[in-house]
Amino acid sequence: MEQTLKHLVDCKHVLLASHGNPDGDAVGSLIAMGLALESINKKIYLYNNSPIPAVYRFLPSVDRITRHINHSIRFDTAVILDCGNLERIGPAVSIVNKVPVIINIDHHITNTGFGFCQLIDTFACSTAEIVYRLIKRLKVPINSDIATSIYTVILTDTGSFRFSNTNQAAFAICEEMTERGVKPYEVAQRVFGTYSLGRIKLLNLALDSIEISYNGKLSIMTITQDMLAQTGTKSEDIDGMIHYARNIEDVKVAALIQEHKNGAGNPKCFNRFHVSLRSDGTVDVAAIAASYGGGGHSSAAGFGIETTLADLKAEITNLADKL
Ligand code: AMP
Ligand code: MN
Ligand code: MN
Protein backbone atom coordinates (compact mmCIF):
# COMPACT_ATOMS: atom_id res chain seq x y z
CA MET A 1 0.00 0.00 0.00
CA GLU A 2 2.71 2.54 0.99
CA GLN A 3 4.68 1.96 -2.20
CA THR A 4 1.55 2.29 -4.32
CA LEU A 5 0.57 5.48 -2.53
CA LYS A 6 4.02 6.95 -3.08
CA HIS A 7 3.83 6.23 -6.81
CA LEU A 8 0.35 7.66 -7.12
CA VAL A 9 1.41 10.84 -5.36
CA ASP A 10 4.49 11.20 -7.60
CA CYS A 11 3.04 10.17 -10.98
CA LYS A 12 1.98 12.58 -13.73
CA HIS A 13 0.58 10.76 -16.77
CA VAL A 14 -1.45 7.73 -15.75
CA LEU A 15 -2.99 5.12 -18.00
CA LEU A 16 -5.82 3.31 -16.25
CA ALA A 17 -7.18 0.06 -17.72
CA SER A 18 -9.53 -2.77 -16.77
CA HIS A 19 -10.63 -6.06 -18.33
CA GLY A 20 -12.46 -6.31 -21.64
CA ASN A 21 -16.13 -7.33 -21.72
CA PRO A 22 -16.33 -5.17 -18.63
CA ASP A 23 -18.62 -5.76 -15.68
CA GLY A 24 -19.61 -3.08 -13.16
CA ASP A 25 -16.30 -3.41 -11.30
CA ALA A 26 -14.22 -3.01 -14.46
CA VAL A 27 -16.11 0.17 -15.44
CA GLY A 28 -16.73 1.70 -12.00
CA SER A 29 -13.27 1.09 -10.49
CA LEU A 30 -11.70 2.56 -13.61
CA ILE A 31 -13.79 5.71 -13.34
CA ALA A 32 -13.50 6.09 -9.55
CA MET A 33 -9.72 5.65 -9.53
CA GLY A 34 -9.34 7.90 -12.58
CA LEU A 35 -11.45 10.74 -11.17
CA ALA A 36 -9.69 10.51 -7.81
CA LEU A 37 -6.27 10.83 -9.48
CA GLU A 38 -7.51 13.67 -11.65
CA SER A 39 -8.65 15.56 -8.56
CA ILE A 40 -5.03 15.55 -7.35
CA ASN A 41 -3.91 16.99 -10.69
CA LYS A 42 -2.78 13.87 -12.53
CA LYS A 43 -3.37 13.54 -16.25
CA ILE A 44 -5.54 10.46 -16.66
CA TYR A 45 -6.42 8.23 -19.63
CA LEU A 46 -9.14 5.63 -19.20
CA TYR A 47 -8.87 2.51 -21.38
CA ASN A 48 -11.09 -0.49 -21.97
CA ASN A 49 -10.87 -2.71 -25.00
CA SER A 50 -14.65 -3.33 -25.30
CA PRO A 51 -17.76 -1.21 -25.68
CA ILE A 52 -19.26 -0.26 -22.32
CA PRO A 53 -22.49 -2.20 -21.65
CA ALA A 54 -25.64 -0.07 -21.85
CA VAL A 55 -26.49 -0.50 -18.15
CA TYR A 56 -23.23 1.23 -17.14
CA ARG A 57 -23.41 4.07 -19.62
CA PHE A 58 -25.09 6.33 -17.03
CA LEU A 59 -21.90 6.42 -14.97
CA PRO A 60 -20.16 9.81 -14.77
CA SER A 61 -17.29 10.33 -17.24
CA VAL A 62 -18.05 7.00 -18.93
CA ASP A 63 -17.57 8.67 -22.32
CA ARG A 64 -13.95 9.32 -21.43
CA ILE A 65 -13.19 5.60 -21.55
CA THR A 66 -11.49 4.96 -24.88
CA ARG A 67 -10.69 1.85 -26.89
CA HIS A 68 -7.62 3.44 -28.48
CA ILE A 69 -4.48 4.70 -26.84
CA ASN A 70 -2.64 7.72 -28.14
CA HIS A 71 0.86 6.38 -28.87
CA SER A 72 2.49 9.78 -28.48
CA ILE A 73 1.69 9.99 -24.75
CA ARG A 74 4.54 8.95 -22.47
CA PHE A 75 2.77 7.36 -19.54
CA ASP A 76 4.84 7.12 -16.37
CA THR A 77 2.34 4.86 -14.60
CA ALA A 78 -0.27 2.27 -15.55
CA VAL A 79 -2.99 1.31 -13.07
CA ILE A 80 -4.58 -2.04 -13.96
CA LEU A 81 -7.88 -2.73 -12.26
CA ASP A 82 -9.90 -5.93 -11.72
CA CYS A 83 -7.58 -8.08 -13.86
CA GLY A 84 -6.24 -11.44 -12.67
CA ASN A 85 -3.54 -11.21 -15.33
CA LEU A 86 -2.30 -8.38 -17.51
CA GLU A 87 -3.53 -10.01 -20.75
CA ARG A 88 -7.11 -9.45 -19.55
CA ILE A 89 -6.87 -5.82 -20.70
CA GLY A 90 -6.54 -6.93 -24.33
CA PRO A 91 -4.38 -5.42 -27.09
CA ALA A 92 -3.02 -2.59 -24.92
CA VAL A 93 -0.71 -5.07 -23.16
CA SER A 94 2.16 -4.19 -25.50
CA ILE A 95 1.85 -0.48 -24.62
CA VAL A 96 1.40 -1.12 -20.89
CA ASN A 97 4.46 -3.35 -20.81
CA LYS A 98 6.55 -0.33 -21.81
CA VAL A 99 5.19 1.86 -18.99
CA PRO A 100 7.83 2.16 -16.21
CA VAL A 101 5.48 1.52 -13.28
CA ILE A 102 2.55 -0.91 -13.44
CA ILE A 103 0.22 -0.96 -10.44
CA ASN A 104 -1.97 -4.06 -10.11
CA ILE A 105 -5.19 -3.53 -8.10
CA ASP A 106 -7.41 -6.58 -7.88
CA HIS A 107 -9.41 -9.06 -5.78
CA HIS A 108 -9.14 -12.27 -7.85
CA ILE A 109 -7.71 -15.33 -6.11
CA THR A 110 -5.93 -16.30 -9.35
CA ASN A 111 -4.09 -12.96 -9.68
CA THR A 112 -0.63 -13.64 -11.10
CA GLY A 113 1.02 -10.83 -9.13
CA PHE A 114 2.06 -8.95 -12.27
CA GLY A 115 3.32 -5.38 -12.15
CA PHE A 116 5.68 -3.31 -10.05
CA CYS A 117 3.28 -2.82 -7.11
CA GLN A 118 0.38 -5.09 -6.23
CA LEU A 119 -2.66 -4.24 -4.14
CA ILE A 120 -4.46 -7.55 -4.11
CA ASP A 121 -7.04 -8.46 -1.52
CA THR A 122 -9.05 -11.59 -2.27
CA PHE A 123 -11.34 -10.77 0.67
CA ALA A 124 -12.36 -7.44 -0.82
CA CYS A 125 -15.89 -7.56 -2.21
CA SER A 126 -14.71 -5.82 -5.36
CA THR A 127 -11.74 -3.99 -6.80
CA ALA A 128 -13.65 -0.82 -5.97
CA GLU A 129 -13.34 -1.64 -2.25
CA ILE A 130 -9.54 -1.46 -2.63
CA VAL A 131 -9.87 1.70 -4.74
CA TYR A 132 -11.99 3.20 -1.94
CA ARG A 133 -9.24 2.47 0.61
CA LEU A 134 -6.65 4.07 -1.68
CA ILE A 135 -8.81 7.15 -2.19
CA LYS A 136 -9.15 7.52 1.58
CA ARG A 137 -5.38 7.20 2.06
CA LEU A 138 -4.81 9.76 -0.72
CA LYS A 139 -7.20 12.04 1.23
CA VAL A 140 -9.19 12.70 -1.92
CA PRO A 141 -12.70 13.97 -1.10
CA ILE A 142 -15.32 11.54 -2.44
CA ASN A 143 -17.63 13.63 -4.62
CA SER A 144 -20.95 12.34 -5.95
CA ASP A 145 -19.38 11.10 -9.22
CA ILE A 146 -16.81 8.96 -7.44
CA ALA A 147 -19.49 7.84 -4.96
CA THR A 148 -21.88 6.77 -7.75
CA SER A 149 -19.13 4.73 -9.41
CA ILE A 150 -18.09 2.97 -6.21
CA TYR A 151 -21.69 2.31 -5.14
CA THR A 152 -22.61 0.88 -8.55
CA VAL A 153 -19.64 -1.48 -8.45
CA ILE A 154 -20.45 -2.83 -5.00
CA LEU A 155 -24.12 -3.25 -5.87
CA THR A 156 -23.32 -5.20 -9.05
CA ASP A 157 -20.20 -7.17 -8.00
CA THR A 158 -22.01 -8.50 -4.90
CA GLY A 159 -25.14 -9.34 -6.94
CA SER A 160 -27.12 -6.86 -4.82
CA PHE A 161 -25.48 -8.07 -1.60
CA ARG A 162 -26.33 -11.72 -2.28
CA PHE A 163 -23.03 -13.30 -3.41
CA SER A 164 -20.41 -14.84 -1.12
CA ASN A 165 -18.09 -11.85 -1.60
CA THR A 166 -20.60 -9.62 0.25
CA ASN A 167 -18.73 -8.42 3.32
CA GLN A 168 -19.15 -5.85 6.04
CA ALA A 169 -17.19 -3.28 4.01
CA ALA A 170 -19.73 -3.59 1.19
CA PHE A 171 -22.47 -2.26 3.47
CA ALA A 172 -20.27 0.29 5.24
CA ILE A 173 -18.92 1.79 2.01
CA CYS A 174 -22.36 1.85 0.37
CA GLU A 175 -23.78 3.63 3.39
CA GLU A 176 -21.05 6.24 3.15
CA MET A 177 -21.69 6.61 -0.60
CA THR A 178 -25.35 7.39 0.09
CA GLU A 179 -24.16 10.12 2.47
CA ARG A 180 -22.16 11.49 -0.49
CA GLY A 181 -25.28 11.82 -2.61
CA VAL A 182 -25.92 8.40 -4.18
CA LYS A 183 -29.61 7.59 -4.62
CA PRO A 184 -29.89 3.78 -4.38
CA TYR A 185 -33.23 3.64 -6.19
CA GLU A 186 -31.90 5.64 -9.12
CA VAL A 187 -28.83 3.43 -9.50
CA ALA A 188 -30.93 0.27 -9.20
CA GLN A 189 -33.30 1.55 -11.89
CA ARG A 190 -30.39 2.20 -14.23
CA VAL A 191 -28.65 -1.10 -13.61
CA PHE A 192 -31.58 -3.51 -13.18
CA GLY A 193 -34.64 -1.47 -14.05
CA THR A 194 -35.32 -2.04 -17.69
CA TYR A 195 -34.76 -4.93 -20.07
CA SER A 196 -35.21 -4.87 -23.81
CA LEU A 197 -37.75 -7.31 -25.20
CA GLY A 198 -34.85 -8.98 -27.02
CA ARG A 199 -33.12 -9.69 -23.71
CA ILE A 200 -36.22 -11.40 -22.33
CA LYS A 201 -36.49 -13.47 -25.53
CA LEU A 202 -32.81 -14.36 -25.20
CA LEU A 203 -33.42 -15.42 -21.60
CA ASN A 204 -36.15 -17.70 -22.88
CA LEU A 205 -33.71 -19.37 -25.30
CA ALA A 206 -30.99 -19.53 -22.66
CA LEU A 207 -33.32 -21.20 -20.14
CA ASP A 208 -34.40 -23.66 -22.78
CA SER A 209 -30.75 -24.56 -23.48
CA ILE A 210 -30.08 -25.73 -19.90
CA GLU A 211 -28.84 -29.31 -19.62
CA ILE A 212 -28.26 -31.13 -16.34
CA SER A 213 -25.62 -33.82 -15.70
CA TYR A 214 -26.69 -37.38 -14.88
CA ASN A 215 -26.06 -36.76 -11.15
CA GLY A 216 -27.88 -33.43 -11.10
CA LYS A 217 -24.84 -31.56 -9.74
CA LEU A 218 -23.81 -29.68 -12.87
CA SER A 219 -25.82 -27.53 -15.25
CA ILE A 220 -24.81 -26.18 -18.65
CA MET A 221 -26.42 -23.19 -20.34
CA THR A 222 -25.42 -22.45 -23.94
CA ILE A 223 -25.76 -19.15 -25.78
CA THR A 224 -24.84 -19.15 -29.46
CA GLN A 225 -24.28 -16.27 -31.88
CA ASP A 226 -27.40 -17.44 -33.64
CA MET A 227 -29.47 -16.83 -30.46
CA LEU A 228 -28.07 -13.30 -30.18
CA ALA A 229 -28.86 -12.61 -33.84
CA GLN A 230 -32.36 -14.10 -33.53
CA THR A 231 -33.22 -11.84 -30.57
CA GLY A 232 -31.28 -8.76 -31.71
CA THR A 233 -29.16 -8.80 -28.54
CA LYS A 234 -25.46 -8.36 -27.76
CA SER A 235 -23.14 -10.35 -25.51
CA GLU A 236 -23.62 -7.75 -22.74
CA ASP A 237 -27.28 -8.88 -22.54
CA ILE A 238 -26.12 -12.30 -21.31
CA ASP A 239 -24.97 -10.78 -18.02
CA GLY A 240 -26.64 -12.48 -15.04
CA MET A 241 -28.31 -15.31 -16.96
CA ILE A 242 -25.96 -17.94 -15.54
CA HIS A 243 -27.63 -17.51 -12.14
CA TYR A 244 -30.73 -19.30 -13.37
CA ALA A 245 -28.58 -22.34 -14.14
CA ARG A 246 -26.77 -21.98 -10.79
CA ASN A 247 -29.96 -21.65 -8.74
CA ILE A 248 -31.36 -25.03 -9.76
CA GLU A 249 -31.87 -27.33 -6.79
CA ASP A 250 -28.87 -29.67 -6.12
CA VAL A 251 -26.69 -27.95 -8.74
CA LYS A 252 -23.19 -27.32 -7.35
CA VAL A 253 -21.59 -25.94 -10.50
CA ALA A 254 -23.16 -24.08 -13.41
CA ALA A 255 -21.37 -23.46 -16.70
CA LEU A 256 -22.43 -20.93 -19.28
CA ILE A 257 -20.96 -21.54 -22.71
CA GLN A 258 -20.90 -18.43 -24.85
CA GLU A 259 -20.06 -18.85 -28.51
CA HIS A 260 -17.88 -16.06 -29.86
CA LYS A 261 -18.30 -14.38 -33.22
CA ASN A 262 -17.77 -16.36 -36.43
CA GLY A 263 -19.49 -19.40 -34.98
CA ALA A 264 -21.26 -21.44 -37.57
CA GLY A 265 -23.62 -22.76 -34.89
CA ASN A 266 -22.51 -26.21 -35.94
CA PRO A 267 -21.72 -28.36 -32.87
CA LYS A 268 -18.87 -30.00 -34.81
CA CYS A 269 -17.35 -26.72 -36.08
CA PHE A 270 -14.11 -25.52 -34.42
CA ASN A 271 -14.74 -22.20 -32.70
CA ARG A 272 -13.83 -19.89 -29.84
CA PHE A 273 -15.94 -19.92 -26.65
CA HIS A 274 -16.04 -18.16 -23.31
CA VAL A 275 -17.06 -20.36 -20.41
CA SER A 276 -18.37 -18.79 -17.20
CA LEU A 277 -18.45 -20.97 -14.10
CA ARG A 278 -20.39 -20.43 -10.89
CA SER A 279 -20.48 -22.66 -7.83
CA ASP A 280 -22.64 -22.93 -4.75
CA GLY A 281 -19.54 -22.24 -2.63
CA THR A 282 -18.57 -25.88 -2.07
CA VAL A 283 -16.52 -26.17 -5.28
CA ASP A 284 -13.51 -24.01 -6.22
CA VAL A 285 -14.31 -23.05 -9.80
CA ALA A 286 -11.29 -20.68 -9.96
CA ALA A 287 -9.10 -23.80 -9.88
CA ILE A 288 -11.12 -25.39 -12.70
CA ALA A 289 -10.92 -22.18 -14.78
CA ALA A 290 -7.18 -21.88 -14.07
CA SER A 291 -6.63 -25.40 -15.43
CA TYR A 292 -7.93 -24.07 -18.76
CA GLY A 293 -5.80 -20.91 -18.61
CA GLY A 294 -8.51 -18.69 -17.12
CA GLY A 295 -9.18 -17.57 -13.56
CA GLY A 296 -11.49 -15.74 -11.20
CA HIS A 297 -12.86 -16.27 -7.70
CA SER A 298 -13.59 -19.55 -5.94
CA SER A 299 -17.31 -19.31 -6.69
CA ALA A 300 -17.24 -17.27 -9.95
CA ALA A 301 -14.64 -17.82 -12.63
CA GLY A 302 -14.18 -18.09 -16.37
CA PHE A 303 -11.92 -19.09 -19.24
CA GLY A 304 -11.64 -18.91 -23.00
CA ILE A 305 -11.18 -21.98 -25.17
CA GLU A 306 -10.99 -22.97 -28.82
CA THR A 307 -12.74 -26.25 -29.59
CA THR A 308 -16.03 -27.57 -30.93
CA LEU A 309 -19.26 -27.09 -29.03
CA ALA A 310 -19.79 -30.85 -28.82
CA ASP A 311 -16.31 -31.46 -27.37
CA LEU A 312 -16.64 -28.55 -24.95
CA LYS A 313 -19.95 -29.84 -23.62
CA ALA A 314 -18.50 -33.34 -23.22
CA GLU A 315 -15.48 -31.92 -21.38
CA ILE A 316 -17.61 -29.86 -19.00
CA THR A 317 -20.06 -32.71 -18.44
CA ASN A 318 -17.11 -34.89 -17.34
CA LEU A 319 -16.48 -32.47 -14.48
CA ALA A 320 -19.73 -33.68 -12.91
CA ASP A 321 -18.09 -36.99 -11.94
CA LYS A 322 -15.88 -35.20 -9.41
CA LEU A 323 -18.70 -33.20 -7.81
P1 AMP B 1 -17.30 -14.39 -16.24
O1 AMP B 1 -16.85 -15.72 -16.72
O2 AMP B 1 -17.08 -13.35 -17.27
O3 AMP B 1 -18.68 -14.42 -15.71
O4 AMP B 1 -16.34 -13.99 -15.06
C1 AMP B 1 -16.35 -14.59 -13.78
C2 AMP B 1 -15.11 -14.17 -13.02
O5 AMP B 1 -13.98 -14.82 -13.60
C3 AMP B 1 -14.80 -12.67 -13.11
O6 AMP B 1 -14.31 -12.25 -11.86
C4 AMP B 1 -13.77 -12.57 -14.19
O7 AMP B 1 -12.92 -11.48 -14.00
C5 AMP B 1 -13.04 -13.90 -14.08
N1 AMP B 1 -12.59 -14.38 -15.40
C6 AMP B 1 -13.38 -14.66 -16.46
N2 AMP B 1 -12.66 -15.07 -17.53
C7 AMP B 1 -11.36 -15.05 -17.15
C8 AMP B 1 -10.11 -15.33 -17.79
N3 AMP B 1 -10.05 -15.75 -19.06
N4 AMP B 1 -8.98 -15.18 -17.06
C9 AMP B 1 -9.02 -14.75 -15.78
N5 AMP B 1 -10.16 -14.46 -15.11
C10 AMP B 1 -11.32 -14.60 -15.76
MN1 MN C 1 -14.71 -7.91 -13.21
MN1 MN D 1 -14.40 -7.59 -9.59
Side-chain angles (χ1 to χ4, degrees), residues 65-104:
I65 302 175
T66 76
R67 294 171 74 179
H68 305 283
I69 298 176
N70 183 342
H71 287 254
S72 62
I73 301 168
R74 296 181 75 119
F75 301 106
D76 52 62
T77 306
V79 176
I80 311 299
L81 299 138
D82 204 38
C83 293
N85 57 69
L86 186 56
E87 291 65 38
R88 297 270 291 147
I89 66 171
V93 172
S94 54
I95 294 175
V96 169
N97 269 327
K98 292 187 196 117
V99 176
V101 174
I102 298 176
I103 298 174
N104 167 1

XYZ file of all heavy atoms in Angstrom, residues 65-104:
309
model
N -13.884 6.890 -21.404
C -13.195 5.598 -21.553
C -12.997 5.353 -23.043
O -13.952 5.375 -23.813
C -14.018 4.449 -20.924
C -14.284 4.733 -19.445
C -13.298 3.103 -21.116
C -15.180 3.722 -18.764
N -11.739 5.137 -23.451
C -11.493 4.957 -24.880
C -10.979 3.548 -25.173
O -10.450 2.869 -24.304
C -10.452 5.952 -25.431
O -9.171 5.507 -25.013
C -10.678 7.347 -24.922
N -11.164 3.170 -26.447
C -10.687 1.854 -26.892
C -9.366 1.976 -27.620
O -8.822 0.997 -28.097
C -11.731 1.216 -27.810
C -13.022 0.899 -27.059
C -14.106 0.474 -28.004
N -13.881 -0.868 -28.505
C -14.704 -1.484 -29.346
N -15.798 -0.879 -29.771
N -14.448 -2.703 -29.760
N -8.876 3.214 -27.756
C -7.617 3.438 -28.478
C -6.695 4.273 -27.609
O -7.137 5.204 -26.951
C -7.884 4.162 -29.801
C -8.872 3.427 -30.632
N -8.534 2.306 -31.344
C -10.205 3.606 -30.801
C -9.613 1.840 -31.942
N -10.644 2.604 -31.624
N -5.443 3.948 -27.645
C -4.480 4.698 -26.837
C -3.604 5.544 -27.756
O -3.106 5.058 -28.775
C -3.597 3.743 -26.003
C -4.490 2.950 -25.033
C -2.542 4.514 -25.226
C -3.756 1.912 -24.234
N -3.476 6.805 -27.392
C -2.636 7.718 -28.145
C -1.158 7.353 -27.922
O -0.630 7.485 -26.815
C -2.933 9.149 -27.641
C -2.165 10.185 -28.402
O -1.174 9.880 -29.067
N -2.632 11.418 -28.313
N -0.514 6.887 -28.993
C 0.862 6.381 -28.868
C 1.877 7.459 -28.525
O 2.978 7.150 -28.084
C 1.280 5.677 -30.176
C 0.595 4.369 -30.339
N 1.240 3.161 -30.166
C -0.695 4.069 -30.608
C 0.370 2.183 -30.337
N -0.804 2.709 -30.619
N 1.498 8.728 -28.734
C 2.488 9.780 -28.482
C 2.586 10.145 -26.991
O 3.502 10.853 -26.585
C 2.133 11.021 -29.302
O 0.878 11.493 -28.884
N 1.629 9.638 -26.186
C 1.687 9.990 -24.754
C 2.706 9.101 -24.051
O 2.711 7.882 -24.214
C 0.299 9.820 -24.088
C -0.738 10.699 -24.788
C 0.367 10.153 -22.593
C -2.162 10.399 -24.406
N 3.554 9.735 -23.248
C 4.542 8.949 -22.474
C 3.998 8.758 -21.065
O 4.159 9.627 -20.216
C 5.885 9.675 -22.447
C 6.491 9.784 -23.835
C 7.805 10.484 -23.737
N 8.800 9.571 -23.185
C 9.882 9.213 -23.860
N 10.097 9.673 -25.056
N 10.749 8.404 -23.304
N 3.338 7.646 -20.865
C 2.766 7.362 -19.543
C 3.897 7.009 -18.584
O 4.798 6.242 -18.932
C 1.808 6.173 -19.622
C 0.676 6.387 -20.583
C 0.654 5.743 -21.814
C -0.374 7.237 -20.255
C -0.383 5.943 -22.700
C -1.414 7.449 -21.145
C -1.427 6.796 -22.372
N 3.844 7.557 -17.361
C 4.840 7.123 -16.366
C 4.286 6.002 -15.497
O 5.038 5.272 -14.865
C 5.344 8.312 -15.531
C 4.223 9.118 -14.914
O 3.477 8.552 -14.101
O 4.092 10.319 -15.265
N 2.946 5.863 -15.481
C 2.336 4.863 -14.604
C 1.121 4.239 -15.293
O 0.375 4.940 -15.981
C 1.867 5.545 -13.288
O 2.978 6.233 -12.729
C 1.327 4.548 -12.279
N 0.948 2.934 -15.088
C -0.273 2.273 -15.553
C -0.953 1.638 -14.340
O -0.297 0.952 -13.553
C 0.050 1.200 -16.586
N -2.237 1.918 -14.174
C -2.988 1.310 -13.069
C -3.953 0.297 -13.694
O -4.812 0.671 -14.497
C -3.761 2.382 -12.263
C -4.606 1.728 -11.172
C -2.802 3.391 -11.655
N -3.767 -0.973 -13.359
C -4.576 -2.044 -13.957
C -5.563 -2.537 -12.909
O -5.165 -2.959 -11.814
C -3.668 -3.213 -14.436
C -2.493 -2.688 -15.271
C -4.495 -4.256 -15.201
C -2.866 -1.940 -16.535
N -6.842 -2.458 -13.256
C -7.885 -2.734 -12.260
C -8.720 -3.965 -12.601
O -9.129 -4.149 -13.760
C -8.809 -1.503 -12.183
C -8.082 -0.220 -11.747
C -8.538 0.963 -12.582
C -8.283 0.031 -10.269
N -8.978 -4.787 -11.602
C -9.901 -5.932 -11.718
C -9.438 -6.986 -12.730
O -10.255 -7.667 -13.327
C -11.318 -5.420 -12.083
C -12.427 -6.382 -11.660
O -12.302 -6.984 -10.583
O -13.412 -6.537 -12.408
N -8.125 -7.117 -12.890
C -7.577 -8.080 -13.858
C -6.693 -9.105 -13.152
O -5.692 -8.730 -12.530
C -6.709 -7.368 -14.898
S -7.631 -6.274 -15.969
N -7.039 -10.367 -13.270
C -6.238 -11.444 -12.673
C -4.892 -11.604 -13.351
O -3.916 -12.041 -12.747
N -4.825 -11.239 -14.632
C -3.535 -11.211 -15.333
C -3.562 -10.047 -16.308
O -4.646 -9.563 -16.679
C -3.244 -12.549 -16.036
C -4.340 -12.935 -17.001
O -4.508 -12.302 -18.037
N -5.102 -13.963 -16.674
N -2.389 -9.603 -16.698
C -2.305 -8.381 -17.509
C -2.972 -8.547 -18.876
O -3.557 -7.601 -19.409
C -0.827 -7.980 -17.660
C -0.560 -6.644 -18.346
C -1.288 -5.509 -17.631
C 0.935 -6.360 -18.381
N -2.944 -9.756 -19.417
C -3.526 -10.010 -20.749
C -5.023 -9.729 -20.778
O -5.604 -9.527 -21.841
C -3.264 -11.460 -21.180
C -1.803 -11.769 -21.493
C -0.879 -11.661 -20.298
O -1.287 -12.051 -19.181
O 0.247 -11.147 -20.475
N -5.668 -9.703 -19.604
C -7.112 -9.447 -19.554
C -7.478 -8.076 -20.134
O -8.614 -7.865 -20.537
C -7.632 -9.542 -18.106
C -7.472 -10.919 -17.486
C -8.669 -11.801 -17.725
N -9.850 -11.373 -17.010
C -11.085 -11.516 -17.467
N -11.297 -12.010 -18.655
N -12.112 -11.137 -16.745
N -6.528 -7.148 -20.170
C -6.874 -5.817 -20.705
C -6.976 -5.818 -22.227
O -7.512 -4.900 -22.811
C -5.906 -4.689 -20.242
C -4.496 -4.911 -20.813
C -5.882 -4.562 -18.737
C -3.574 -3.726 -20.573
N -6.439 -6.849 -22.868
C -6.539 -6.933 -24.330
C -5.317 -6.356 -25.030
O -4.213 -6.371 -24.481
N -5.511 -5.809 -26.243
C -4.376 -5.424 -27.087
C -3.450 -4.361 -26.502
O -2.320 -4.212 -26.984
C -5.030 -4.879 -28.362
C -6.468 -5.165 -28.260
C -6.805 -5.596 -26.876
N -3.884 -3.640 -25.478
C -3.020 -2.590 -24.918
C -1.850 -3.154 -24.116
O -0.981 -2.386 -23.678
C -3.845 -1.644 -24.034
N -1.797 -4.458 -23.943
C -0.714 -5.068 -23.160
C 0.658 -4.603 -23.640
O 1.532 -4.267 -22.834
C -0.769 -6.623 -23.243
C 0.457 -7.249 -22.611
C -2.000 -7.145 -22.548
N 0.835 -4.549 -24.968
C 2.160 -4.192 -25.496
C 2.540 -2.760 -25.088
O 3.710 -2.483 -24.815
C 2.187 -4.359 -27.010
O 1.134 -3.620 -27.568
N 1.562 -1.860 -25.033
C 1.847 -0.476 -24.615
C 2.126 -0.451 -23.110
O 3.084 0.167 -22.644
C 0.651 0.442 -24.964
C 0.509 0.522 -26.482
C 0.816 1.829 -24.335
C -0.690 1.300 -26.957
N 1.261 -1.138 -22.347
C 1.398 -1.121 -20.887
C 2.748 -1.706 -20.465
O 3.378 -1.219 -19.522
C 0.210 -1.864 -20.228
C 0.467 -2.103 -18.745
C -1.082 -1.073 -20.424
N 3.188 -2.726 -21.165
C 4.463 -3.350 -20.810
C 5.647 -2.391 -20.916
O 6.686 -2.615 -20.319
C 4.708 -4.587 -21.679
C 4.146 -5.830 -21.003
O 4.137 -5.933 -19.774
N 3.664 -6.771 -21.797
N 5.461 -1.307 -21.666
C 6.551 -0.326 -21.809
C 6.453 0.796 -20.766
O 7.325 1.658 -20.689
C 6.514 0.282 -23.214
C 6.869 -0.742 -24.285
C 7.003 -0.073 -25.650
C 6.967 -1.107 -26.753
N 5.819 -0.959 -27.665
N 5.357 0.810 -19.994
C 5.193 1.865 -18.986
C 6.079 1.515 -17.777
O 6.066 0.375 -17.318
C 3.697 1.982 -18.572
C 3.516 3.003 -17.453
C 2.828 2.340 -19.783
N 6.869 2.481 -17.279
C 7.833 2.164 -16.210
C 7.222 1.537 -14.946
O 7.804 0.646 -14.364
C 8.477 3.513 -15.885
C 8.189 4.398 -17.039
C 6.981 3.875 -17.743
N 6.070 2.055 -14.524
C 5.477 1.517 -13.282
C 4.071 0.987 -13.556
O 3.192 1.735 -13.999
C 5.413 2.616 -12.184
C 4.665 2.101 -10.953
C 6.815 3.052 -11.812
N 3.883 -0.304 -13.291
C 2.546 -0.907 -13.441
C 2.020 -1.222 -12.046
O 2.692 -1.897 -11.256
C 2.600 -2.201 -14.295
C 3.093 -1.883 -15.709
C 1.229 -2.887 -14.320
C 3.279 -3.113 -16.597
N 0.833 -0.710 -11.750
C 0.224 -0.959 -10.437
C -0.989 -1.883 -10.650
O -1.882 -1.588 -11.452
C -0.203 0.377 -9.773
C 1.050 1.238 -9.538
C -0.945 0.121 -8.464
C 0.762 2.634 -9.027
N -0.983 -2.992 -9.937
C -1.973 -4.057 -10.115
C -2.946 -4.018 -8.929
O -2.560 -4.328 -7.806
C -1.148 -5.359 -10.207
C -1.956 -6.644 -10.088
O -3.175 -6.636 -9.956
N -1.250 -7.768 -10.128
